Amino acid sequence: MALTKKKKIIIVAVTVLAVLIAAIVLTTVYFCTQNDAPDFVEIPVVTLPDEYKSTISDTGAYLGHPDFVLADDGSLYCAYPAGHGKGDIIMQKSTDLGDSWTDISATLPDSWEKSQETPTLYNLHFTDGSSKLLLVSGCPSWAEDDEYYANGFNCSVSSDDGKTWTEFENFYGIEWTNAQPAKTADVDENDPYSPNYDENGNVLPYDVIVSMSSLTQLKENGEYVDKWMGTFHDYDFYNYTSILTFDEDGNPHWSQPKKFLHRQRDIESKANICEIEIARAAAPDDDKLILIGRGNSRVTNSLISVSSDEGETWSEFRELPYALTGDRHKAEYDESTGKLLISFRLVVPGVKRNIFDSSNFTGGYWVAWVGTFDDLLAYAENGNKTDKLGEKLIILGETNDGKADCGYSGTICKDGTFVLSSYGKFRKGVKNPYIMQAKFRLSDVL
């Protein structure tokens, strides 16, 4: 029996009403279940005013993962890849502490093209008063791109405050493996210095991610020496140290990587600890090193540990409060105030952004924690992750899509002025991350 015109109108009206009600219900559920990462932070949260922010580079293409180094002549360098991790290294230079920038990529070594990973930058101060700048870039395999394969890490040095750089020198990659003996029956794979092997017993190159996430000058008998401890991790979330020294001709040498958290492998593998930052405490506690690690499995908060023997052993890991939980921590000390600033990507694990989100965490913020070394040392000894740790958390940038693709940061402090850089979609409407700078004194925001 054919439907009358009136019945058809009724059916359409009911259908539209049902769709409208469903849309209202779903929208209500979406907003009622919305979570925002800063809401979980236990200490006061403030937002850096726009007047302290600027853009270093915005090409419209994806730019990511910058780092900073301040040369002894006052030149500030910012390096980052033209892509997500991999891509040609771009370098900007500033002679006015970040007020203006000049792209100097055309002057860089040819070997810096098609870099496999985010670069890291350091200023090395030797005991004879000289200094060198260092750029390191890991060579991890990328599952979606066979052009990039595990090949250790690359290292470049400048002895003239960044005016010129050496071509990349590769360490613990394929060339190194070709000179290594095959596995024998007496090899102890539990030895933290033992390399990795394939199914045929051949030594594999190190699959290096975020190399060197930290680089710490070491002491012997209470005095600084010309040795630096670098850290990186691999896809199995083993964390390694490698010791940097220089020969009489000024050439760098890195010791064979060591799995330095092997005594705490259970928590290292459970949390997937990575992107470790190591900072030396301020005097009188400068015989202690503080480690903060990302918990990439998102089943724990970020973790903290302390070493009193120059990184040979580490205290039991403790989960940090939300105020210091996230990725790629970078610490910088302000001698003028005695405060410590730690830049990172804020991530709250185990909490969906909303009920429809497939992720098991929420983020979307580049932030800076402000506290003291005393805060961290006391927490590492007796802290509980529900404690209030630190003085303030500063929101430096918020991504326009709520995604946690931001927060890797270059971080320096000179005479009480902090200059930081990060990548992210921090403005409305931008489709790809760009490089943003934050420049301020703590008195500007606290």
Side-chain angles (χ1 to χ4, degrees):
M1 185 176 180
L3 294 175
T4 65
K5 184 177 180 180
K6 183 177 180 180
K7 288 183 177 180
K8 289 180 179 179
I9 292 173
I10 293 173
I11 291 173
V12 170
V14 169
T15 302
V16 170
L17 181 61
V19 170
L20 181 60
I21 292 173
I24 293 172
V25 170
L26 291 174
T27 301
T28 302
V29 170
Y30 173 83
F31 283 106
C32 287
T33 61
Q34 194 79 358
N35 291 305
D36 200 19
D39 293 341
F40 293 83
V41 172
E42 308 86 353
I43 59 177
V45 178
V46 297
T47 299
L48 183 70
D50 288 342
E51 64 187 281
Y52 299 107
K53 304 174 186 179
S54 59
T55 298
I56 294 178
S57 181
D58 183 1
T59 64
Y62 190 108
L63 300 176
H65 311 90
D67 202 0
F68 266 165
V69 69
L70 182 64
D72 289 354
D73 69 355
S75 299
L76 180 60
Y77 294 93
C78 181
Y80 49 93
H84 185 96
K86 57 189 175 183
D88 295 358
I89 292 178
I90 300 170
M91 182 171 276
Q92 306 269 359
K93 178 180 180 178
S94 174
T95 57
D96 49 18
L97 206 63
D99 288 343
S100 61
W101 290 92
T102 301
D103 191 325
I104 60 169
S105 302
T107 69
L108 303 179
D110 292 341
S111 55
W112 289 19
E113 296 179 3
K114 295 186 177 180
S115 176
Q116 287 184 223
E117 237 247 338
T118 170
T120 56
L121 288 164
Y122 295 97
N123 189 345
L124 311 178
H125 289 104
F126 292 78
T127 54
D128 65 2
S130 63
S131 65
K132 295 180 186 292
L133 301 185
L134 179 78
L135 184 144
V136 187
S137 180
C139 301
S141 54
W142 292 81
E144 74 277 13
D145 193 340
D146 292 336
E147 181 182 357
Y148 297 96
Y149 45 84
N151 194 31
F153 58 89
N154 291 321
C155 172
S156 181
V157 176
S158 174
S159 300
D160 55 9
D161 289 321
K163 297 178 182 64
T164 60
W165 296 82
T166 61
E167 294 287 350
F168 270 152
E169 183 177 1
N170 184 260
F171 292 87
Y172 301 105
I174 292 174
E175 185 175 344
W176 171 78
T177 64
N178 291 336
Q180 303 306 305
K183 182 180 179 182
T184 59
D186 60 350
V187 168
D188 181 6
E189 292 192 55
N190 292 319
D191 181 346
Y193 287 100
S194 177
N196 300 308
Y197 297 91
D198 66 15
E199 63 275 10
N200 297 316
N202 298 312
V203 174
L204 290 168
Y206 285 88
D207 208 348
V208 178
I209 305 171
V210 190
S211 175
M212 302 293 172
S213 61
S214 66
L215 188 68
T216 307
Q217 188 167 14
L218 297 175
K219 290 185 174 184
E220 292 179 358
N221 300 317
E223 300 293 332
Y224 282 110
V225 294
D226 296 336
K227 295 181 180 179
W228 291 264
M229 178 177 64
T231 57
F232 66 86
H233 70 280
D234 63 18
Y235 282 108
D236 292 320
F237 294 94
Y238 282 101
N239 288 273
Y240 298 82
T241 57
S242 180
I243 307 301
L244 171 65
T245 56
F246 289 81
D247 64 22
E248 294 180 354
D249 296 321
N251 299 310
H253 174 74
W254 295 87
S255 67
Q256 183 165 333
K258 172 187 177 182
K259 295 174 181 175
F260 78 104
L261 297 180
H262 57 286
R263 297 182 182 89
Q264 293 152 292
R265 178 58 184 165
D266 287 348
I267 184 63
E268 180 186 37
S269 59
K270 174 187 175 182
N272 285 349
I273 297 174
C274 61
E275 293 176 2
I276 281 173
E277 168 70 332
I278 295 176
R280 185 177 295 279
D285 296 312
D286 55 357
D287 59 338
K288 296 179 180 179
L289 302 177
I290 299 173
L291 179 158
I292 297 178
R294 166 179 177 170
N296 196 64
S297 64
R298 310 303 186 195
V299 298
T300 71
N301 288 6
S302 292
L303 297 115
I304 188 171
S305 180
V306 174
S307 174
S308 299
D309 54 11
E310 298 299 297
E312 287 299 317
T313 60
W314 293 90
S315 66
E316 179 182 355
F317 277 102
R318 292 183 183 274
E319 287 188 58
L320 286 160
Y322 290 128
L324 261 174
T325 291
D327 306 337
R328 193 63 176 110
H329 300 79
K330 294 285 286 186
E332 194 69 28
Y333 181 61
D334 180 5
E335 292 184 354
S336 68
T337 63
K339 298 293 178 64
L340 180 68
L341 180 145
I342 302 177
S343 168
F344 64 102
R345 170 200 293 164
L346 180 64
V347 171
V348 177
V351 175
K352 293 177 178 290
R353 188 169 179 83
N354 57 68
I355 196 171
F356 303 110
D357 196 345
S358 60
S359 301
N360 63 339
F361 62 90
T362 184
Y365 290 87
W366 172 35
V367 299
W369 175 92
V370 179
T372 67
F373 279 113
D374 287 344
D375 293 338
L376 293 180
L377 289 171
Y379 183 90
E381 292 179 357
N382 299 298
N384 184 292
K385 69 178 183 177
T386 60
D387 292 343
K388 292 182 179 180
L389 175 61
E391 183 176 341
K392 289 282 178 66
L393 190 74
I394 307 169
I395 295 176
L396 304 175
E398 178 184 359
T399 59
N400 63 24
D401 57 5
K403 294 183 178 179
D405 192 17
C406 65
Y408 284 55
S409 171
T411 306
I412 66 103
C413 183
K414 183 179 181 182
D415 301 327
T417 295
F418 283 95
V419 188
L420 303 92
S421 65
S422 187
Y423 78 108
K425 293 185 282 186
F426 297 124
R427 296 193 311 270
K428 292 181 179 180
V430 296
K431 295 182 179 180
N432 282 309
Y434 62 94
I435 308 299
M436 189 184 88
Q437 175 179 278
K439 181 178 179 179
F440 58 92
R441 300 177 69 87
L442 291 181
S443 58
D444 296 326
V445 288
L446 299 186

